[in-house]
Amino acid sequence: MPKILVADDSIAVRKVAERLLTEAGMGVTLAANGEEALAFLAKERPDVVVSDVIMPDKSGYEVCAFVRSHSMLAATPVLLISGIVNDEVTKQAESCHADGVLKKPFQGTSLKDRVLELLAKRQESPEPAVTTASASTADAAKGHSVNEEQREALRQATARLQHMEEQLRAERTRSEQLAARLKDLESALARAKDTDASLEAEQERADQLAQQLAAEQERTRQLSEQLTGTSKVAARLKELEDTLVAERDAASQVVQQLNKMEALASKVPDLERRLADEKAQIEALTQRLAETKSVATKAKELEAALAAEREKFSQAASRLAESERRVQEAADLARALEAEKRKSSDTSAQLSEAQRHVARARELETLLATERERNALLVKRVAETEQAAQQANKRFEDMAKKLGEIAGLASQLGKGRS
């Protein structure tokens, strides 16, 4: 399994890159900044490095320079990613000997295609040997936090994608076969048209021969009338009769050729109908291919929406934990309030026993009134906290319901694909 290092200070970009590359069957290691990327490269040797150009500490150019400066990493492909790709970025990427610059956000499978291209290019070029200890360390580091449910969903999505790719390849093969048949039919049609033209030429030649035969017959008749009774006329007449027989034989051959041409011409409409049927089949296949691409695009959009909903769910869970913490604090304050009440009760008992100290009792009564006001404020805060917790629980339930609906839609889409 190829090992890919992705360094970017944006968690959204890291998650998208991880999903795209993991679906392509690659092991992905994420780094939140340039320092983490350099620390990983100091210990491990990935197959491809994907780094953001601008990061808080070390830039992507510095990460690329680090890779090129170490003999064990010098042959590792480095792909820089940037939200802005202009002449300045391209020039700096060339100066640090990067293998290319890709614009963010990623369009379709652009990231996967570029990484696969760099992997193929690296396999074609010689690489330095890797020690067994380094390889085992890399295998130990390639895992990342993905639970069994996510892995199963990933395997199912990969299987569906492979099935769709196989169907697409089959449709393309069939389209190529239909295109070849269409080309053969067009060639046959062209030959039929040439045959039709030849037939017309033969018909014109037959007409000319018929005219010549009629003229020859007329001439023979005139000669017969002029040379009746002489031997010379008889010999000439015999010669003309032989010529007439030869001309009749030639005309018969022309008629036979004409019949053959008419038979070929009768096949032309059938060939045209077959050609129209093949074109209709190709159009239907093209429409099915477009629908398949549309379904794949919609599936990717739903996967992106599901990832966004999961992110919102995580944020809601964090807020819920914060609310629970505040509720716990409120409970602690309530217990402290209860302790204060017990303390105030003890103080009241002491005041009842020490009625002679009236001035002290009044002072304690003032303190008690202040404490009660404070307790009232605490009770109000506790009520507000409980209300906020209830609202958070309601939002959490709504979010869970939406996630369930999205999961149902994704399941239906998966069944529709299969």
Side-chain angles (χ1 to χ4, degrees):
M1 178 185 293
K3 296 174 291 184
I4 314 299
L5 172 63
V6 178
D8 197 297
D9 57 339
S10 171
I11 185 173
V13 174
R14 294 199 301 271
K15 291 299 182 182
V16 171
E18 180 183 23
R19 178 176 59 81
L20 292 175
L21 298 178
T22 303
E23 289 177 354
M26 306 178 195
V28 181
T29 301
L30 303 177
N33 50 56
E35 290 291 348
E36 290 186 13
L38 295 181
F40 177 80
L41 292 171
K43 298 182 295 183
E44 305 294 338
R45 185 167 174 261
D47 295 306
V48 176
V49 176
V50 179
S51 176
D52 187 16
V53 169
I54 300 176
M55 290 185 287
D57 42 21
K58 298 291 184 180
S59 67
Y61 307 122
E62 293 176 293
V63 172
C64 183
F66 178 85
V67 172
R68 296 290 179 255
S69 63
H70 287 70
S71 58
M72 295 298 293
L73 299 170
T76 303
V78 178
L79 176 63
L80 299 179
I81 56 178
S82 174
I84 300 176
V85 178
N86 52 25
D87 294 339
E88 180 65 23
V89 174
T90 304
K91 184 176 180 181
Q92 293 190 33
E94 292 175 352
S95 65
C96 67
H97 303 289
D99 292 274
V101 182
L102 183 63
K103 191 177 186 308
K104 299 186 298 182
F106 309 123
Q107 300 296 325
T109 60
S110 58
L111 177 63
K112 180 188 73 174
D113 294 340
R114 290 295 296 273
V115 171
L116 290 175
E117 180 183 347
L118 294 176
L119 287 172
K121 182 178 178 182
R122 180 177 182 178
Q123 290 175 356
E124 294 174 357
S125 61
E127 298 181 2
V130 181
T131 62
T132 304
S134 176
S136 61
T137 305
D139 290 336
K142 68 182 180 181
H144 50 278
S145 56
V146 179
N147 56 35
E148 287 300 327
E149 182 179 354
Q150 292 173 334
R151 290 178 181 173
E152 181 63 25
L154 176 60
R155 284 194 291 268
Q156 292 177 359
T158 304
R160 289 198 300 270
L161 181 60
Q162 292 175 352
H163 179 66
M164 291 181 67
E165 289 178 349
E166 291 175 359
Q167 289 182 342
L168 181 59
R169 284 194 294 269
E171 291 295 338
R172 287 178 177 173
T173 303
R174 187 174 178 187
S175 297
E176 291 174 357
Q177 294 174 353
L178 290 174
R181 289 181 63 187
L182 178 61
K183 187 176 180 181
D184 294 339
L185 289 174
E186 289 177 348
S187 301
L189 181 60
R191 289 194 298 271
K193 290 180 178 179
D194 294 339
T195 303
D196 193 13
S198 301
L199 180 61
E200 291 178 357
E202 290 295 337
Q203 287 177 346
E204 291 178 358
R205 183 179 175 186
D207 293 339
Q208 292 175 359
L209 288 174
Q211 292 176 1
Q212 290 177 3
L213 179 60
E216 194 67 31
Q217 288 176 348
E218 181 65 22
R219 184 179 177 186
T220 301
R221 187 183 61 79
Q222 292 174 1
L223 288 173
S224 298
E225 291 175 355
Q226 292 175 3
L227 300 175
T228 302
T230 63
S231 58
K232 187 176 181 179
V233 172
R236 180 61 178 168
L237 183 59
K238 178 66 171 142
E239 181 181 355
L240 290 173
E241 288 175 352
D242 294 338
T243 303
L244 178 60
V245 171
E247 291 292 338
R248 285 177 177 175
D249 293 337
S252 177
Q253 293 178 359
V254 169
V255 170
Q256 291 177 358
Q257 292 180 357
L258 181 62
N259 292 333
K260 291 180 181 179
M261 294 300 178
E262 289 176 350
L264 291 174
S266 64
K267 294 181 180 179
V268 172
D270 183 48
L271 292 174
E272 290 177 347
R273 287 193 298 272
R274 292 176 61 187
L275 176 61
D277 294 339
E278 294 292 342
K279 287 182 177 180
Q281 291 179 2
I282 291 175
E283 291 177 355
L285 290 174
T286 303
Q287 184 176 3
R288 287 181 60 189
L289 179 60
E291 292 175 354
T292 304
K293 290 181 178 179
S294 177
V295 170
T297 303
K298 188 174 181 181
K300 291 180 180 179
E301 292 175 354
L302 288 174
E303 288 175 354
L306 181 58
E309 290 295 336
R310 286 177 177 172
E311 184 67 21
K312 292 180 180 179
F313 177 78
S314 177
Q315 294 176 359
S318 301
R319 293 175 181 174
L320 179 60
E322 180 67 19
S323 298
E324 290 176 350
R325 185 181 63 80
R326 292 181 177 177
V327 170
Q328 184 62 36
E329 291 177 356
D332 294 338
L333 289 174
R335 285 193 294 271
L337 177 62
E338 190 66 28
E340 289 294 332
K341 286 181 178 180
R342 288 195 297 269
K343 188 176 179 180
S344 299
S345 178
D346 294 339
T347 303
S348 298
Q350 291 176 4
L351 287 174
S352 63
E353 293 176 356
Q355 293 180 357
R356 63 183 181 275
H357 302 290
V358 177
R360 180 62 178 170
R362 290 177 180 176
E363 182 180 355
L364 290 175
E365 288 176 355
T366 303
L367 291 174
L368 180 60
T370 304
E371 191 64 29
R372 286 176 178 174
E373 292 177 355
R374 182 182 176 187
N375 292 339
L377 292 174
L378 289 175
V379 169
K380 184 178 180 181
R381 288 183 60 188
V382 168
E384 292 175 351
T385 305
E386 289 177 350
Q387 185 178 3
Q390 290 176 356
Q391 292 176 354
N393 288 331
K394 185 176 180 181
R395 289 196 299 271
F396 174 78
E397 290 174 356
D398 294 339
M399 186 65 67
K401 184 177 179 181
K402 290 181 180 179
L403 288 175
E405 293 175 353
I406 292 173
L409 290 175
S411 176
Q412 292 177 1
L413 180 60
K415 293 180 180 178
R417 288 184 189 171
S418 61

